[in-house]
Amino acid sequence: MIIRPAIITIEVLIALIIMFSAVVLTTSSLRTMNLFKLKKEKYEINYSTVLSLKALFENRRFNPLGGEFSGEINGLKYEMKYTLSENKKTYVVGETAALEGNYGPYYIYLYTCVLQLIKNNSFSESTFDVLKYTKVPVHE
């Protein structure tokens, strides 16, 4: 009968170790899940803000020499700097090589934009291109 209480004590210790492990794993899993949830919300806000700003900038006039826009949207401060990457006239395809080339009716401008989003101590940077065009003035 002396052996029986020792076996019960060992069984209780093993059960306590299993319960403790389950509690630790559950706690760490919940902590990790909450961390990923916060990151997901942050990136959703950043992503929708970048797309909204890109659409906004596509409707603004750009200076061919470059420039910047700044402001606040969705609780985030933004600064967007743009530079002209390339500009050409539209390409015309003709029946012969002499009739083709960059002498179409529009100038096309490609701007490279660097957007910085700032909120408290958080900072993110995105780069994208914006395409603009203007009609070539006709001289008669």
Side-chain angles (χ1 to χ4, degrees):
M1 288 281 180
I2 298 174
I3 298 174
R4 187 84 173 129
I7 292 175
I8 292 175
T9 306
I10 292 172
E11 288 175 353
V12 169
L13 285 174
I14 291 172
L16 285 174
I17 289 171
I18 292 171
M19 280 182 30
F20 178 74
S21 299
V23 168
V24 167
L25 285 173
T26 303
T27 306
S28 69
S29 296
L30 286 173
R31 211 168 145 209
T32 303
M33 184 184 74
N34 285 334
L35 200 109
F36 281 125
K37 183 180 173 188
L38 289 173
K39 283 185 178 181
K40 178 184 157 258
E41 289 172 358
K42 175 189 169 195
Y43 289 115
E44 278 179 355
I45 291 171
N46 283 356
Y47 185 72
S48 63
T49 302
V50 168
L51 290 179
S52 299
L53 287 170
K54 184 177 180 200
L56 177 72
F57 297 141
E58 286 176 350
N59 295 322
R60 287 201 179 167
R61 287 185 182 229
F62 282 30
N63 185 348
L65 302 175
E68 69 178 68
F69 296 114
S70 61
E72 190 170 332
I73 187 171
N74 292 343
L76 298 164
K77 292 182 182 178
Y78 69 86
E79 270 187 30
M80 198 270 296
K81 295 181 181 178
Y82 63 91
T83 56
L84 181 63
S85 296
E86 195 172 341
N87 70 324
K88 290 186 177 186
K89 282 188 177 181
T90 50
Y91 193 83
V92 174
V93 177
E95 294 177 11
T96 65
L99 297 175
E100 341 189 301
N102 291 88
Y103 55 86
Y106 293 96
Y107 285 115
I108 297 177
Y109 301 90
L110 182 65
Y111 294 94
T112 300
C113 305
V114 178
L115 177 66
Q116 297 175 345
L117 296 175
I118 305 157
K119 183 175 184 177
N120 301 334
N121 294 332
S122 177
F123 174 84
S124 70
E125 186 172 282
S126 302
T127 303
F128 55 89
D129 293 324
V130 173
L131 188 68
K132 301 276 188 184
Y133 64 92
T134 58
K135 195 159 181 72
V136 174
V138 178
H139 300 290
E140 295 182 28

